[in-house]
């Protein structure tokens, strides 16, 4: 089980590294194109650009564009709600590494406890040099805890690294979305 978690954790970390690239999720050129279209009052073309882009930022911007005829407060609320949904999705994606980091040491500890139970059970029934048998059994049982920690510690480090990356991406999205809100608000006035 610990080996399976280590493979799963490594694969998920690589997936997240590829998926959580700021250049993939937040594009300043996209924002500039949208702001330019909104400044010219071309809401239909801006919506088409968002539909073609398929990025996280385009989904957030699309929420504002769909509300373009409403008050600036409603536009801001729509963008904030879409941004919150997208941020929650990103945080959920990296939380799986936290799960691997928490579960693998627990599995290791469980293996150690089972191993110790078996060692002491055999120790109680055996005759002869018991110290060697006890030492050998305890060392084998403790390996599972070590393996769990070997998987859990890097998984937690990877989780916190990716969590920091998600926070930076969310901040970038907020900044880009503010530009779109200003462009939508300026066109309304």
């Amino acid at each position: 089980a610990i080996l399976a978690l280590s493979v799963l954790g490594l694969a998920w970390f690589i997936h997240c590294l590829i998926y959580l690239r700021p250049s993939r999720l937040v594009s300043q050129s996209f924002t500039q194109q949208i702001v330019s279209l909104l400044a010219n009052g071309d809401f239909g073309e801006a919506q088409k650009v968002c539909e073609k882009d398929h990025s996280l930022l385009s989904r957030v911007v699309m929420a504002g564009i769909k509300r373009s005829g409403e008050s600036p407060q409603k536009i801001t609320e729509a963008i904030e709600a879409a941004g919150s949904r997208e941020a929650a999705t990103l945080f959920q994606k990296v939380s799986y590494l936290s799960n691997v980091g928490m579960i693998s040491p627990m599995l290791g500890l469980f293996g150690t406890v089972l191993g110790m139970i078996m060692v002491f059970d055999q120790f109680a029934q055996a005759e002869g040099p018991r110290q060697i048998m006890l030492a050998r059994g305890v060392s084998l049982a403790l390996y599972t805890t070590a393996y769990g920690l070997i998987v859990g510690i890097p998984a937690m480090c990877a989780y916190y690294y990716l969590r920091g990356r998600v926070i930076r991406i969310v901040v970038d999205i907020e900044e880009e979305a503010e530009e779109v809100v200003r462009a939508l608000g300026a066109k309304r006035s």
Side-chain angles (χ1 to χ4, degrees), residues 103-123:
I103 293 170
S104 57
M106 298 303 281
L107 285 174
L109 184 59
F110 180 66
T112 298
V113 169
L114 287 180
M116 295 295 282
I117 290 170
M118 287 189 287
V119 165
F120 281 111
D121 186 47
Q122 290 176 356
F123 187 69

mmCIF file of all heavy atoms in Angstrom, residues 103-123:
data_model
loop_
_atom_site.group_PDB
_atom_site.id
_atom_site.type_symbol
_atom_site.label_atom_id
_atom_site.label_comp_id
_atom_site.label_asym_id
_atom_site.label_seq_id
_atom_site.Cartn_x
_atom_site.Cartn_y
_atom_site.Cartn_z
ATOM 1 N N ILE A 103 -1.492 9.863 4.878
ATOM 2 C CA ILE A 103 -1.884 8.456 4.947
ATOM 3 C C ILE A 103 -0.682 7.519 4.999
ATOM 4 O O ILE A 103 -0.695 6.532 5.742
ATOM 5 C CB ILE A 103 -2.814 8.104 3.768
ATOM 6 C CG1 ILE A 103 -4.142 8.835 3.924
ATOM 7 C CG2 ILE A 103 -3.046 6.607 3.665
ATOM 8 C CD1 ILE A 103 -5.038 8.764 2.712
ATOM 9 N N SER A 104 0.364 7.805 4.241
ATOM 10 C CA SER A 104 1.484 6.862 4.180
ATOM 11 C C SER A 104 2.180 6.656 5.527
ATOM 12 O O SER A 104 2.455 5.497 5.887
ATOM 13 C CB SER A 104 2.474 7.251 3.087
ATOM 14 O OG SER A 104 2.946 8.547 3.264
ATOM 15 N N PRO A 105 2.448 7.691 6.344
ATOM 16 C CA PRO A 105 3.018 7.398 7.667
ATOM 17 C C PRO A 105 2.048 6.620 8.569
ATOM 18 O O PRO A 105 2.487 5.787 9.376
ATOM 19 C CB PRO A 105 3.304 8.776 8.269
ATOM 20 C CG PRO A 105 3.404 9.687 7.115
ATOM 21 C CD PRO A 105 2.474 9.130 6.089
ATOM 22 N N MET A 106 0.755 6.866 8.401
ATOM 23 C CA MET A 106 -0.216 6.113 9.189
ATOM 24 C C MET A 106 -0.207 4.639 8.799
ATOM 25 O O MET A 106 -0.303 3.759 9.657
ATOM 26 C CB MET A 106 -1.619 6.693 9.018
ATOM 27 C CG MET A 106 -1.747 8.132 9.495
ATOM 28 S SD MET A 106 -1.270 8.343 11.210
ATOM 29 C CE MET A 106 -2.728 7.760 12.004
ATOM 30 N N LEU A 107 -0.085 4.365 7.506
ATOM 31 C CA LEU A 107 0.029 2.973 7.070
ATOM 32 C C LEU A 107 1.305 2.336 7.612
ATOM 33 O O LEU A 107 1.308 1.171 8.011
ATOM 34 C CB LEU A 107 0.008 2.883 5.544
ATOM 35 C CG LEU A 107 -1.337 3.075 4.866
ATOM 36 C CD1 LEU A 107 -1.169 3.116 3.348
ATOM 37 C CD2 LEU A 107 -2.311 1.994 5.265
ATOM 38 N N GLY A 108 2.394 3.116 7.622
ATOM 39 C CA GLY A 108 3.646 2.613 8.185
ATOM 40 C C GLY A 108 3.518 2.294 9.664
ATOM 41 O O GLY A 108 3.990 1.258 10.139
ATOM 42 N N LEU A 109 2.862 3.165 10.384
ATOM 43 C CA LEU A 109 2.646 2.934 11.813
ATOM 44 C C LEU A 109 1.751 1.716 12.034
ATOM 45 O O LEU A 109 2.009 0.899 12.927
ATOM 46 C CB LEU A 109 2.025 4.173 12.456
ATOM 47 C CG LEU A 109 1.816 4.131 13.961
ATOM 48 C CD1 LEU A 109 3.135 3.901 14.681
ATOM 49 C CD2 LEU A 109 1.158 5.404 14.436
ATOM 50 N N PHE A 110 0.740 1.576 11.212
ATOM 51 C CA PHE A 110 -0.140 0.410 11.301
ATOM 52 C C PHE A 110 0.652 -0.880 11.071
ATOM 53 O O PHE A 110 0.496 -1.863 11.800
ATOM 54 C CB PHE A 110 -1.282 0.541 10.290
ATOM 55 C CG PHE A 110 -2.244 -0.602 10.313
ATOM 56 C CD1 PHE A 110 -3.047 -0.832 11.421
ATOM 57 C CD2 PHE A 110 -2.362 -1.452 9.225
ATOM 58 C CE1 PHE A 110 -3.942 -1.894 11.445
ATOM 59 C CE2 PHE A 110 -3.250 -2.513 9.238
ATOM 60 C CZ PHE A 110 -4.049 -2.734 10.354
ATOM 61 N N GLY A 111 1.529 -0.866 10.079
ATOM 62 C CA GLY A 111 2.376 -2.025 9.817
ATOM 63 C C GLY A 111 3.296 -2.336 10.981
ATOM 64 O O GLY A 111 3.521 -3.503 11.324
ATOM 65 N N THR A 112 3.819 -1.299 11.616
ATOM 66 C CA THR A 112 4.687 -1.496 12.773
ATOM 67 C C THR A 112 3.918 -2.119 13.931
ATOM 68 O O THR A 112 4.401 -3.049 14.585
ATOM 69 C CB THR A 112 5.309 -0.150 13.209
ATOM 70 O OG1 THR A 112 6.099 0.342 12.134
ATOM 71 C CG2 THR A 112 6.174 -0.310 14.441
ATOM 72 N N VAL A 113 2.736 -1.619 14.183
ATOM 73 C CA VAL A 113 1.926 -2.166 15.276
ATOM 74 C C VAL A 113 1.587 -3.632 15.008
ATOM 75 O O VAL A 113 1.738 -4.479 15.899
ATOM 76 C CB VAL A 113 0.646 -1.320 15.477
ATOM 77 C CG1 VAL A 113 -0.319 -2.017 16.418
ATOM 78 C CG2 VAL A 113 1.003 0.063 15.998
ATOM 79 N N LEU A 114 1.179 -3.961 13.787
ATOM 80 C CA LEU A 114 0.890 -5.355 13.466
ATOM 81 C C LEU A 114 2.140 -6.222 13.609
ATOM 82 O O LEU A 114 2.073 -7.332 14.150
ATOM 83 C CB LEU A 114 0.337 -5.476 12.044
ATOM 84 C CG LEU A 114 -1.078 -4.986 11.806
ATOM 85 C CD1 LEU A 114 -1.466 -5.170 10.337
ATOM 86 C CD2 LEU A 114 -2.068 -5.711 12.697
ATOM 87 N N GLY A 115 3.257 -5.710 13.132
ATOM 88 C CA GLY A 115 4.513 -6.450 13.249
ATOM 89 C C GLY A 115 4.906 -6.690 14.698
ATOM 90 O O GLY A 115 5.354 -7.787 15.067
ATOM 91 N N MET A 116 4.737 -5.677 15.535
ATOM 92 C CA MET A 116 5.091 -5.814 16.954
ATOM 93 C C MET A 116 4.166 -6.828 17.638
ATOM 94 O O MET A 116 4.613 -7.609 18.473
ATOM 95 C CB MET A 116 4.993 -4.467 17.670
ATOM 96 C CG MET A 116 5.986 -3.434 17.170
ATOM 97 S SD MET A 116 7.675 -3.886 17.489
ATOM 98 C CE MET A 116 7.779 -3.485 19.204
ATOM 99 N N ILE A 117 2.903 -6.822 17.276
ATOM 100 C CA ILE A 117 1.972 -7.799 17.848
ATOM 101 C C ILE A 117 2.424 -9.212 17.494
ATOM 102 O O ILE A 117 2.488 -10.096 18.360
ATOM 103 C CB ILE A 117 0.532 -7.530 17.364
ATOM 104 C CG1 ILE A 117 -0.004 -6.248 17.994
ATOM 105 C CG2 ILE A 117 -0.377 -8.714 17.678
ATOM 106 C CD1 ILE A 117 -1.315 -5.770 17.388
ATOM 107 N N MET A 118 2.779 -9.413 16.217
ATOM 108 C CA MET A 118 3.215 -10.748 15.797
ATOM 109 C C MET A 118 4.524 -11.152 16.477
ATOM 110 O O MET A 118 4.690 -12.291 16.911
ATOM 111 C CB MET A 118 3.366 -10.797 14.272
ATOM 112 C CG MET A 118 2.033 -10.807 13.546
ATOM 113 S SD MET A 118 2.175 -11.122 11.773
ATOM 114 C CE MET A 118 2.846 -9.579 11.196
ATOM 115 N N VAL A 119 5.474 -10.200 16.600
ATOM 116 C CA VAL A 119 6.762 -10.497 17.231
ATOM 117 C C VAL A 119 6.565 -10.899 18.687
ATOM 118 O O VAL A 119 7.125 -11.905 19.148
ATOM 119 C CB VAL A 119 7.721 -9.291 17.118
ATOM 120 C CG1 VAL A 119 8.900 -9.421 18.065
ATOM 121 C CG2 VAL A 119 8.207 -9.157 15.695
ATOM 122 N N PHE A 120 5.791 -10.137 19.418
ATOM 123 C CA PHE A 120 5.594 -10.453 20.831
ATOM 124 C C PHE A 120 4.793 -11.744 21.018
ATOM 125 O O PHE A 120 5.014 -12.477 21.969
ATOM 126 C CB PHE A 120 4.957 -9.283 21.577
ATOM 127 C CG PHE A 120 5.950 -8.205 21.912
ATOM 128 C CD1 PHE A 120 5.898 -6.973 21.281
ATOM 129 C CD2 PHE A 120 6.959 -8.438 22.830
ATOM 130 C CE1 PHE A 120 6.816 -5.991 21.580
ATOM 131 C CE2 PHE A 120 7.883 -7.459 23.134
ATOM 132 C CZ PHE A 120 7.823 -6.225 22.508
ATOM 133 N N ASP A 121 3.892 -12.022 20.076
ATOM 134 C CA ASP A 121 3.159 -13.280 20.141
ATOM 135 C C ASP A 121 4.112 -14.467 19.934
ATOM 136 O O ASP A 121 4.071 -15.445 20.687
ATOM 137 C CB ASP A 121 2.047 -13.300 19.087
ATOM 138 C CG ASP A 121 1.162 -14.521 19.206
ATOM 139 O OD1 ASP A 121 0.742 -14.825 20.341
ATOM 140 O OD2 ASP A 121 0.906 -15.157 18.162
ATOM 141 N N GLN A 122 4.977 -14.352 18.929
ATOM 142 C CA GLN A 122 5.969 -15.417 18.694
ATOM 143 C C GLN A 122 6.975 -15.494 19.834
ATOM 144 O O GLN A 122 7.408 -16.578 20.224
ATOM 145 C CB GLN A 122 6.697 -15.180 17.368
ATOM 146 C CG GLN A 122 5.831 -15.406 16.160
ATOM 147 C CD GLN A 122 6.550 -15.069 14.865
ATOM 148 O OE1 GLN A 122 7.688 -14.600 14.881
ATOM 149 N NE2 GLN A 122 5.873 -15.295 13.753
ATOM 150 N N PHE A 123 7.346 -14.364 20.368
ATOM 151 C CA PHE A 123 8.310 -14.297 21.467
ATOM 152 C C PHE A 123 7.761 -15.029 22.694
ATOM 153 O O PHE A 123 8.496 -15.730 23.390
ATOM 154 C CB PHE A 123 8.591 -12.826 21.794
ATOM 155 C CG PHE A 123 9.689 -12.609 22.788
ATOM 156 C CD1 PHE A 123 11.000 -12.886 22.481
ATOM 157 C CD2 PHE A 123 9.388 -12.123 24.066
ATOM 158 C CE1 PHE A 123 12.010 -12.658 23.397
ATOM 159 C CE2 PHE A 123 10.383 -11.906 24.984
ATOM 160 C CZ PHE A 123 11.708 -12.170 24.658
#
